[in-house]
Amino acid sequence: MDAEAVTEFLSCVPLLQRLPSSSLKQIAQLVLVRHYDKGEHVVREGETGHGFYFIWEGEADVGSNRSEDENRMEFQLKKYDYFGHGLFTPVQPVDVIASTKLTCLVLPLEHCTLLEPKSIWSADKTDGACSLVESILHLDSVEVNIFRGITLPDAPKFGKVFGGQFMGQALAAASKTVDCLKLVHSFHAYFIQVGDFNMPIIYEVQRVRDGKSFATRNVQAIQKGNVIFTMLASFQKEEHGFEHQEAIMPSVPNPEMLLSMEELREERLLDPRLPRNYRNKVASRNFVPWPVEIRFCEPNHSTNQTKSPPRVNYWFKAKGKLSDDQALHRCVVAYASDLLFCGVSLNPHRRKDFKASCFSLDHSMWFHRPVRADDWILFVITSPSSGNHRGYVSGQMFNRKGELMVSLTQECVIREVRVPNPAPTSKL
């Protein structure tokens, strides 16, 4: 049986949506094919059986033989259903009998531990042993097509659930419902309401379409019964075809030559060219390191009240080593893409005593090539236009070879925060 076809099949089994893709591929290599005639027992009550069974083709009845007990309720198992010893029971609790010609894939008993994942991204390490950003993107499988995510104490919050967290977790939820040979190639997301980081987020996935080459998923993030974020994502199986690239990576210093955010912060605290009030404010503010390392290509001495061109270039990568799952790396890139993106549209409007609010409205990404989010990626951002209290930004992401990996756009609400004039005081 073709290993790729088996992997695709296993990816559609609801029980296995919580497994990392590495486990699915391993199970696909280990399963045995067994055939049964109509009326034949697949497993008998009280026996251990051969392992854990997945129905590939045909149907089976659960329960006693009809001739023995016509009134006993029986359940019918069909394609993608599963049963057997290996997870919670020492023996098979009930008879399973083929009601048609039946083909099952059987995971032998000695390999059933693969069905008990430590993380949705890795079969080898627990969620606590992962890098912070990988832990942020971990989800619990609540039910078929339903996942639960949380905001970790160390995760960036900005007074609310970070928009990148919505995108990364929603994309993770969608990815777990698609066969692991298909990877996201584009998504379009809308931020509807502010999220509360003190409570879990429920992600409901709608399987819009499953085709041979493409699959489509719609994801809704829910808190307090309200949809607060939505994403439409498209996935594609890898294919080889026409290729070209007109985009050219700008000439910038290598990331090793640039200061990290932490080093840049320390340098700015001691820089006499920056206003004293600004330095005091930075020094007094609680600094929470991000799970993504950022290095600006053109570090300068401007502040958030200094007018500057509507563009910026910086290198970024996830801190720590990520599990080797391409779906995870794309989720991490989606997460990181929102950290500084829409703020670039404010650059030409900054001035002394300038205060503004900036909230993401929508976000779209296109993945052109495989990415490694734990290796340096150059993010080139520009804001071509803003108007009607909306800022528009577009970006390109290149690897160190100059290959264009991702294109993206975002629109956000940008409004100046006006400080009310103090009430006049009486001179009496």
Side-chain angles (χ1 to χ4, degrees), residues 61-89:
D61 288 328
V62 177
S64 64
N65 191 293
R66 282 192 179 91
S67 62
E68 297 174 356
D69 186 359
E70 287 288 344
N71 298 319
R72 181 174 175 176
M73 180 181 290
E74 296 181 335
F75 300 92
Q76 200 167 54
L77 299 175
K78 300 180 180 181
K79 186 174 183 179
Y80 302 124
D81 283 332
Y82 47 87
F83 58 92
H85 163 74
L87 281 180
F88 311 112
T89 57

PDB file of all heavy atoms in Angstrom, residues 61-89:
ATOM      1  N   ASP A  61     -19.824  -3.991  12.408  1.00  0.00           N
ATOM      2  CA  ASP A  61     -20.807  -3.816  13.470  1.00  0.00           C
ATOM      3  C   ASP A  61     -20.134  -3.986  14.824  1.00  0.00           C
ATOM      4  O   ASP A  61     -19.239  -4.820  14.999  1.00  0.00           O
ATOM      5  CB  ASP A  61     -21.938  -4.847  13.353  1.00  0.00           C
ATOM      6  CG  ASP A  61     -22.857  -4.547  12.170  1.00  0.00           C
ATOM      7  OD1 ASP A  61     -23.017  -3.351  11.855  1.00  0.00           O
ATOM      8  OD2 ASP A  61     -23.390  -5.500  11.561  1.00  0.00           O
ATOM      9  N   VAL A  62     -20.599  -3.195  15.774  1.00  0.00           N
ATOM     10  CA  VAL A  62     -20.102  -3.276  17.139  1.00  0.00           C
ATOM     11  C   VAL A  62     -21.188  -3.901  17.990  1.00  0.00           C
ATOM     12  O   VAL A  62     -22.342  -3.457  17.979  1.00  0.00           O
ATOM     13  CB  VAL A  62     -19.750  -1.877  17.686  1.00  0.00           C
ATOM     14  CG1 VAL A  62     -19.303  -1.971  19.141  1.00  0.00           C
ATOM     15  CG2 VAL A  62     -18.673  -1.234  16.837  1.00  0.00           C
ATOM     16  N   GLY A  63     -20.860  -4.957  18.737  1.00  0.00           N
ATOM     17  CA  GLY A  63     -21.842  -5.568  19.629  1.00  0.00           C
ATOM     18  C   GLY A  63     -22.012  -7.040  19.348  1.00  0.00           C
ATOM     19  O   GLY A  63     -21.274  -7.646  18.562  1.00  0.00           O
ATOM     20  N   SER A  64     -23.031  -7.601  19.982  1.00  0.00           N
ATOM     21  CA  SER A  64     -23.264  -9.045  19.841  1.00  0.00           C
ATOM     22  C   SER A  64     -23.829  -9.360  18.464  1.00  0.00           C
ATOM     23  O   SER A  64     -24.319  -8.494  17.754  1.00  0.00           O
ATOM     24  CB  SER A  64     -24.246  -9.509  20.920  1.00  0.00           C
ATOM     25  OG  SER A  64     -25.496  -8.877  20.725  1.00  0.00           O
ATOM     26  N   ASN A  65     -23.795 -10.637  18.114  1.00  0.00           N
ATOM     27  CA  ASN A  65     -24.360 -11.089  16.845  1.00  0.00           C
ATOM     28  C   ASN A  65     -25.872 -10.870  16.843  1.00  0.00           C
ATOM     29  O   ASN A  65     -26.554 -11.157  17.813  1.00  0.00           O
ATOM     30  CB  ASN A  65     -24.056 -12.587  16.673  1.00  0.00           C
ATOM     31  CG  ASN A  65     -24.382 -13.052  15.268  1.00  0.00           C
ATOM     32  OD1 ASN A  65     -25.556 -13.073  14.877  1.00  0.00           O
ATOM     33  ND2 ASN A  65     -23.356 -13.463  14.546  1.00  0.00           N
ATOM     34  N   ARG A  66     -26.422 -10.370  15.754  1.00  0.00           N
ATOM     35  CA  ARG A  66     -27.846 -10.026  15.670  1.00  0.00           C
ATOM     36  C   ARG A  66     -28.740 -11.232  15.981  1.00  0.00           C
ATOM     37  O   ARG A  66     -29.808 -11.103  16.558  1.00  0.00           O
ATOM     38  CB  ARG A  66     -28.189  -9.499  14.273  1.00  0.00           C
ATOM     39  CG  ARG A  66     -27.768  -8.059  14.058  1.00  0.00           C
ATOM     40  CD  ARG A  66     -28.402  -7.534  12.764  1.00  0.00           C
ATOM     41  NE  ARG A  66     -28.038  -6.164  12.535  1.00  0.00           N
ATOM     42  CZ  ARG A  66     -26.992  -5.774  11.842  1.00  0.00           C
ATOM     43  NH1 ARG A  66     -26.175  -6.669  11.330  1.00  0.00           N
ATOM     44  NH2 ARG A  66     -26.721  -4.490  11.667  1.00  0.00           N
ATOM     45  N   SER A  67     -28.286 -12.433  15.540  1.00  0.00           N
ATOM     46  CA  SER A  67     -29.113 -13.613  15.751  1.00  0.00           C
ATOM     47  C   SER A  67     -29.254 -13.955  17.233  1.00  0.00           C
ATOM     48  O   SER A  67     -30.200 -14.601  17.641  1.00  0.00           O
ATOM     49  CB  SER A  67     -28.514 -14.813  15.007  1.00  0.00           C
ATOM     50  OG  SER A  67     -27.218 -15.092  15.520  1.00  0.00           O
ATOM     51  N   GLU A  68     -28.303 -13.519  18.053  1.00  0.00           N
ATOM     52  CA  GLU A  68     -28.345 -13.787  19.481  1.00  0.00           C
ATOM     53  C   GLU A  68     -29.197 -12.761  20.215  1.00  0.00           C
ATOM     54  O   GLU A  68     -29.824 -13.055  21.219  1.00  0.00           O
ATOM     55  CB  GLU A  68     -26.933 -13.784  20.061  1.00  0.00           C
ATOM     56  CG  GLU A  68     -26.037 -14.879  19.493  1.00  0.00           C
ATOM     57  CD  GLU A  68     -24.614 -14.744  19.983  1.00  0.00           C
ATOM     58  OE1 GLU A  68     -24.329 -13.760  20.701  1.00  0.00           O
ATOM     59  OE2 GLU A  68     -23.792 -15.603  19.654  1.00  0.00           O
ATOM     60  N   ASP A  69     -29.211 -11.526  19.757  1.00  0.00           N
ATOM     61  CA  ASP A  69     -29.929 -10.477  20.495  1.00  0.00           C
ATOM     62  C   ASP A  69     -30.374  -9.416  19.507  1.00  0.00           C
ATOM     63  O   ASP A  69     -29.671  -8.461  19.247  1.00  0.00           O
ATOM     64  CB  ASP A  69     -29.014  -9.885  21.579  1.00  0.00           C
ATOM     65  CG  ASP A  69     -29.757  -8.890  22.468  1.00  0.00           C
ATOM     66  OD1 ASP A  69     -30.967  -8.643  22.238  1.00  0.00           O
ATOM     67  OD2 ASP A  69     -29.128  -8.372  23.397  1.00  0.00           O
ATOM     68  N   GLU A  70     -31.588  -9.581  18.956  1.00  0.00           N
ATOM     69  CA  GLU A  70     -32.073  -8.661  17.937  1.00  0.00           C
ATOM     70  C   GLU A  70     -32.303  -7.267  18.479  1.00  0.00           C
ATOM     71  O   GLU A  70     -32.245  -6.284  17.753  1.00  0.00           O
ATOM     72  CB  GLU A  70     -33.382  -9.206  17.335  1.00  0.00           C
ATOM     73  CG  GLU A  70     -33.211 -10.392  16.423  1.00  0.00           C
ATOM     74  CD  GLU A  70     -32.589 -10.024  15.090  1.00  0.00           C
ATOM     75  OE1 GLU A  70     -32.572  -8.830  14.754  1.00  0.00           O
ATOM     76  OE2 GLU A  70     -32.124 -10.926  14.390  1.00  0.00           O
ATOM     77  N   ASN A  71     -32.604  -7.166  19.776  1.00  0.00           N
ATOM     78  CA  ASN A  71     -32.982  -5.882  20.346  1.00  0.00           C
ATOM     79  C   ASN A  71     -31.790  -5.072  20.856  1.00  0.00           C
ATOM     80  O   ASN A  71     -31.946  -3.934  21.270  1.00  0.00           O
ATOM     81  CB  ASN A  71     -33.977  -6.091  21.497  1.00  0.00           C
ATOM     82  CG  ASN A  71     -35.256  -6.742  20.999  1.00  0.00           C
ATOM     83  OD1 ASN A  71     -35.750  -6.382  19.935  1.00  0.00           O
ATOM     84  ND2 ASN A  71     -35.773  -7.700  21.773  1.00  0.00           N
ATOM     85  N   ARG A  72     -30.622  -5.653  20.865  1.00  0.00           N
ATOM     86  CA  ARG A  72     -29.459  -4.947  21.392  1.00  0.00           C
ATOM     87  C   ARG A  72     -28.997  -3.897  20.392  1.00  0.00           C
ATOM     88  O   ARG A  72     -28.847  -4.168  19.202  1.00  0.00           O
ATOM     89  CB  ARG A  72     -28.343  -5.941  21.685  1.00  0.00           C
ATOM     90  CG  ARG A  72     -27.106  -5.248  22.256  1.00  0.00           C
ATOM     91  CD  ARG A  72     -26.081  -6.285  22.677  1.00  0.00           C
ATOM     92  NE  ARG A  72     -24.851  -5.639  23.111  1.00  0.00           N
ATOM     93  CZ  ARG A  72     -23.815  -6.293  23.605  1.00  0.00           C
ATOM     94  NH1 ARG A  72     -23.876  -7.612  23.731  1.00  0.00           N
ATOM     95  NH2 ARG A  72     -22.732  -5.657  23.971  1.00  0.00           N
ATOM     96  N   MET A  73     -28.780  -2.665  20.902  1.00  0.00           N
ATOM     97  CA  MET A  73     -28.331  -1.588  20.008  1.00  0.00           C
ATOM     98  C   MET A  73     -26.928  -1.896  19.501  1.00  0.00           C
ATOM     99  O   MET A  73     -26.046  -2.285  20.258  1.00  0.00           O
ATOM    100  CB  MET A  73     -28.330  -0.251  20.749  1.00  0.00           C
ATOM    101  CG  MET A  73     -27.872   0.920  19.866  1.00  0.00           C
ATOM    102  SD  MET A  73     -27.844   2.481  20.761  1.00  0.00           S
ATOM    103  CE  MET A  73     -29.592   2.743  20.984  1.00  0.00           C
ATOM    104  N   GLU A  74     -26.769  -1.743  18.223  1.00  0.00           N
ATOM    105  CA  GLU A  74     -25.463  -1.963  17.613  1.00  0.00           C
ATOM    106  C   GLU A  74     -25.045  -0.706  16.865  1.00  0.00           C
ATOM    107  O   GLU A  74     -25.891   0.026  16.349  1.00  0.00           O
ATOM    108  CB  GLU A  74     -25.520  -3.159  16.661  1.00  0.00           C
ATOM    109  CG  GLU A  74     -25.834  -4.451  17.387  1.00  0.00           C
ATOM    110  CD  GLU A  74     -25.866  -5.632  16.437  1.00  0.00           C
ATOM    111  OE1 GLU A  74     -26.118  -5.402  15.233  1.00  0.00           O
ATOM    112  OE2 GLU A  74     -25.651  -6.746  16.886  1.00  0.00           O
ATOM    113  N   PHE A  75     -23.764  -0.486  16.824  1.00  0.00           N
ATOM    114  CA  PHE A  75     -23.207   0.677  16.133  1.00  0.00           C
ATOM    115  C   PHE A  75     -22.431   0.197  14.916  1.00  0.00           C
ATOM    116  O   PHE A  75     -21.829  -0.869  14.927  1.00  0.00           O
ATOM    117  CB  PHE A  75     -22.266   1.457  17.063  1.00  0.00           C
ATOM    118  CG  PHE A  75     -22.934   1.967  18.302  1.00  0.00           C
ATOM    119  CD1 PHE A  75     -22.946   1.219  19.465  1.00  0.00           C
ATOM    120  CD2 PHE A  75     -23.579   3.181  18.292  1.00  0.00           C
ATOM    121  CE1 PHE A  75     -23.578   1.670  20.596  1.00  0.00           C
ATOM    122  CE2 PHE A  75     -24.215   3.655  19.416  1.00  0.00           C
ATOM    123  CZ  PHE A  75     -24.220   2.889  20.587  1.00  0.00           C
ATOM    124  N   GLN A  76     -22.453   1.007  13.885  1.00  0.00           N
ATOM    125  CA  GLN A  76     -21.767   0.648  12.658  1.00  0.00           C
ATOM    126  C   GLN A  76     -20.526   1.514  12.484  1.00  0.00           C
ATOM    127  O   GLN A  76     -20.584   2.738  12.624  1.00  0.00           O
ATOM    128  CB  GLN A  76     -22.698   0.831  11.458  1.00  0.00           C
ATOM    129  CG  GLN A  76     -22.249   0.040  10.248  1.00  0.00           C
ATOM    130  CD  GLN A  76     -23.329  -0.024   9.184  1.00  0.00           C
ATOM    131  OE1 GLN A  76     -23.829   1.007   8.772  1.00  0.00           O
ATOM    132  NE2 GLN A  76     -23.686  -1.217   8.746  1.00  0.00           N
ATOM    133  N   LEU A  77     -19.422   0.869  12.218  1.00  0.00           N
ATOM    134  CA  LEU A  77     -18.153   1.558  11.996  1.00  0.00           C
ATOM    135  C   LEU A  77     -17.899   1.654  10.501  1.00  0.00           C
ATOM    136  O   LEU A  77     -18.099   0.685   9.762  1.00  0.00           O
ATOM    137  CB  LEU A  77     -17.013   0.797  12.675  1.00  0.00           C
ATOM    138  CG  LEU A  77     -17.124   0.637  14.198  1.00  0.00           C
ATOM    139  CD1 LEU A  77     -15.985  -0.234  14.721  1.00  0.00           C
ATOM    140  CD2 LEU A  77     -17.109   1.998  14.881  1.00  0.00           C
ATOM    141  N   LYS A  78     -17.444   2.833  10.065  1.00  0.00           N
ATOM    142  CA  LYS A  78     -17.184   3.059   8.649  1.00  0.00           C
ATOM    143  C   LYS A  78     -15.775   3.614   8.456  1.00  0.00           C
ATOM    144  O   LYS A  78     -15.000   3.703   9.413  1.00  0.00           O
ATOM    145  CB  LYS A  78     -18.225   4.026   8.073  1.00  0.00           C
ATOM    146  CG  LYS A  78     -19.665   3.522   8.198  1.00  0.00           C
ATOM    147  CD  LYS A  78     -20.659   4.508   7.611  1.00  0.00           C
ATOM    148  CE  LYS A  78     -22.083   3.986   7.732  1.00  0.00           C
ATOM    149  NZ  LYS A  78     -23.072   4.932   7.144  1.00  0.00           N
ATOM    150  N   LYS A  79     -15.474   4.005   7.232  1.00  0.00           N
ATOM    151  CA  LYS A  79     -14.149   4.524   6.903  1.00  0.00           C
ATOM    152  C   LYS A  79     -13.769   5.661   7.848  1.00  0.00           C
ATOM    153  O   LYS A  79     -14.608   6.511   8.157  1.00  0.00           O
ATOM    154  CB  LYS A  79     -14.134   5.021   5.449  1.00  0.00           C
ATOM    155  CG  LYS A  79     -12.764   5.459   4.959  1.00  0.00           C
ATOM    156  CD  LYS A  79     -12.791   5.804   3.483  1.00  0.00           C
ATOM    157  CE  LYS A  79     -11.392   6.173   2.976  1.00  0.00           C
ATOM    158  NZ  LYS A  79     -11.382   6.486   1.523  1.00  0.00           N
ATOM    159  N   TYR A  80     -12.540   5.645   8.305  1.00  0.00           N
ATOM    160  CA  TYR A  80     -11.937   6.611   9.238  1.00  0.00           C
ATOM    161  C   TYR A  80     -12.304   6.343  10.694  1.00  0.00           C
ATOM    162  O   TYR A  80     -11.776   7.005  11.591  1.00  0.00           O
ATOM    163  CB  TYR A  80     -12.280   8.071   8.898  1.00  0.00           C
ATOM    164  CG  TYR A  80     -11.863   8.502   7.513  1.00  0.00           C
ATOM    165  CD1 TYR A  80     -12.785   9.036   6.612  1.00  0.00           C
ATOM    166  CD2 TYR A  80     -10.536   8.366   7.088  1.00  0.00           C
ATOM    167  CE1 TYR A  80     -12.400   9.434   5.343  1.00  0.00           C
ATOM    168  CE2 TYR A  80     -10.145   8.754   5.811  1.00  0.00           C
ATOM    169  CZ  TYR A  80     -11.084   9.285   4.946  1.00  0.00           C
ATOM    170  OH  TYR A  80     -10.703   9.670   3.674  1.00  0.00           O
ATOM    171  N   ASP A  81     -13.211   5.387  10.975  1.00  0.00           N
ATOM    172  CA  ASP A  81     -13.467   5.020  12.358  1.00  0.00           C
ATOM    173  C   ASP A  81     -12.325   4.161  12.881  1.00  0.00           C
ATOM    174  O   ASP A  81     -11.515   3.625  12.103  1.00  0.00           O
ATOM    175  CB  ASP A  81     -14.801   4.274  12.482  1.00  0.00           C
ATOM    176  CG  ASP A  81     -15.997   5.212  12.414  1.00  0.00           C
ATOM    177  OD1 ASP A  81     -15.839   6.382  12.796  1.00  0.00           O
ATOM    178  OD2 ASP A  81     -17.075   4.779  11.967  1.00  0.00           O
ATOM    179  N   TYR A  82     -12.281   3.971  14.195  1.00  0.00           N
ATOM    180  CA  TYR A  82     -11.148   3.281  14.818  1.00  0.00           C
ATOM    181  C   TYR A  82     -11.633   2.568  16.078  1.00  0.00           C
ATOM    182  O   TYR A  82     -12.647   2.914  16.675  1.00  0.00           O
ATOM    183  CB  TYR A  82     -10.048   4.278  15.159  1.00  0.00           C
ATOM    184  CG  TYR A  82     -10.562   5.525  15.853  1.00  0.00           C
ATOM    185  CD1 TYR A  82     -10.706   5.573  17.235  1.00  0.00           C
ATOM    186  CD2 TYR A  82     -10.941   6.637  15.107  1.00  0.00           C
ATOM    187  CE1 TYR A  82     -11.210   6.702  17.861  1.00  0.00           C
ATOM    188  CE2 TYR A  82     -11.445   7.779  15.729  1.00  0.00           C
ATOM    189  CZ  TYR A  82     -11.577   7.803  17.107  1.00  0.00           C
ATOM    190  OH  TYR A  82     -12.085   8.908  17.725  1.00  0.00           O
ATOM    191  N   PHE A  83     -10.876   1.566  16.494  1.00  0.00           N
ATOM    192  CA  PHE A  83     -11.212   0.816  17.699  1.00  0.00           C
ATOM    193  C   PHE A  83     -10.004  -0.042  18.055  1.00  0.00           C
ATOM    194  O   PHE A  83      -9.050  -0.174  17.277  1.00  0.00           O
ATOM    195  CB  PHE A  83     -12.442  -0.079  17.473  1.00  0.00           C
ATOM    196  CG  PHE A  83     -12.286  -1.067  16.351  1.00  0.00           C
ATOM    197  CD1 PHE A  83     -11.809  -2.344  16.588  1.00  0.00           C
ATOM    198  CD2 PHE A  83     -12.602  -0.711  15.037  1.00  0.00           C
ATOM    199  CE1 PHE A  83     -11.652  -3.250  15.554  1.00  0.00           C
ATOM    200  CE2 PHE A  83     -12.454  -1.604  13.996  1.00  0.00           C
ATOM    201  CZ  PHE A  83     -11.970  -2.872  14.254  1.00  0.00           C
ATOM    202  N   GLY A  84     -10.032  -0.625  19.265  1.00  0.00           N
ATOM    203  CA  GLY A  84      -9.001  -1.586  19.621  1.00  0.00           C
ATOM    204  C   GLY A  84      -8.289  -1.282  20.914  1.00  0.00           C
ATOM    205  O   GLY A  84      -8.448  -0.233  21.530  1.00  0.00           O
ATOM    206  N   HIS A  85      -7.464  -2.222  21.323  1.00  0.00           N
ATOM    207  CA  HIS A  85      -6.662  -2.100  22.535  1.00  0.00           C
ATOM    208  C   HIS A  85      -5.455  -1.201  22.260  1.00  0.00           C
ATOM    209  O   HIS A  85      -4.948  -1.137  21.155  1.00  0.00           O
ATOM    210  CB  HIS A  85      -6.172  -3.482  22.968  1.00  0.00           C
ATOM    211  CG  HIS A  85      -5.047  -3.435  23.942  1.00  0.00           C
ATOM    212  ND1 HIS A  85      -5.232  -3.089  25.262  1.00  0.00           N
ATOM    213  CD2 HIS A  85      -3.722  -3.666  23.786  1.00  0.00           C
ATOM    214  CE1 HIS A  85      -4.072  -3.124  25.886  1.00  0.00           C
ATOM    215  NE2 HIS A  85      -3.143  -3.480  25.018  1.00  0.00           N
ATOM    216  N   GLY A  86      -5.012  -0.516  23.293  1.00  0.00           N
ATOM    217  CA  GLY A  86      -3.770   0.241  23.108  1.00  0.00           C
ATOM    218  C   GLY A  86      -3.762   1.574  23.794  1.00  0.00           C
ATOM    219  O   GLY A  86      -2.709   2.105  24.111  1.00  0.00           O
ATOM    220  N   LEU A  87      -4.940   2.155  24.044  1.00  0.00           N
ATOM    221  CA  LEU A  87      -4.957   3.472  24.688  1.00  0.00           C
ATOM    222  C   LEU A  87      -5.385   3.374  26.154  1.00  0.00           C
ATOM    223  O   LEU A  87      -4.629   3.708  27.055  1.00  0.00           O
ATOM    224  CB  LEU A  87      -5.908   4.410  23.932  1.00  0.00           C
ATOM    225  CG  LEU A  87      -5.356   5.009  22.646  1.00  0.00           C
ATOM    226  CD1 LEU A  87      -6.408   5.903  22.010  1.00  0.00           C
ATOM    227  CD2 LEU A  87      -4.092   5.794  22.902  1.00  0.00           C
ATOM    228  N   PHE A  88      -6.606   2.909  26.415  1.00  0.00           N
ATOM    229  CA  PHE A  88      -7.132   2.989  27.770  1.00  0.00           C
ATOM    230  C   PHE A  88      -7.601   1.641  28.326  1.00  0.00           C
ATOM    231  O   PHE A  88      -7.832   1.524  29.518  1.00  0.00           O
ATOM    232  CB  PHE A  88      -8.313   3.972  27.812  1.00  0.00           C
ATOM    233  CG  PHE A  88      -8.004   5.293  27.151  1.00  0.00           C
ATOM    234  CD1 PHE A  88      -8.630   5.653  25.976  1.00  0.00           C
ATOM    235  CD2 PHE A  88      -7.080   6.163  27.695  1.00  0.00           C
ATOM    236  CE1 PHE A  88      -8.343   6.863  25.360  1.00  0.00           C
ATOM    237  CE2 PHE A  88      -6.784   7.367  27.090  1.00  0.00           C
ATOM    238  CZ  PHE A  88      -7.419   7.717  25.925  1.00  0.00           C
ATOM    239  N   THR A  89      -7.793   0.644  27.482  1.00  0.00           N
ATOM    240  CA  THR A  89      -8.352  -0.615  27.959  1.00  0.00           C
ATOM    241  C   THR A  89      -7.357  -1.762  27.759  1.00  0.00           C
ATOM    242  O   THR A  89      -6.704  -1.849  26.721  1.00  0.00           O
ATOM    243  CB  THR A  89      -9.648  -0.954  27.186  1.00  0.00           C
ATOM    244  OG1 THR A  89      -9.368  -0.991  25.787  1.00  0.00           O
ATOM    245  CG2 THR A  89     -10.717   0.088  27.459  1.00  0.00           C
TER     246      THR A  89
END
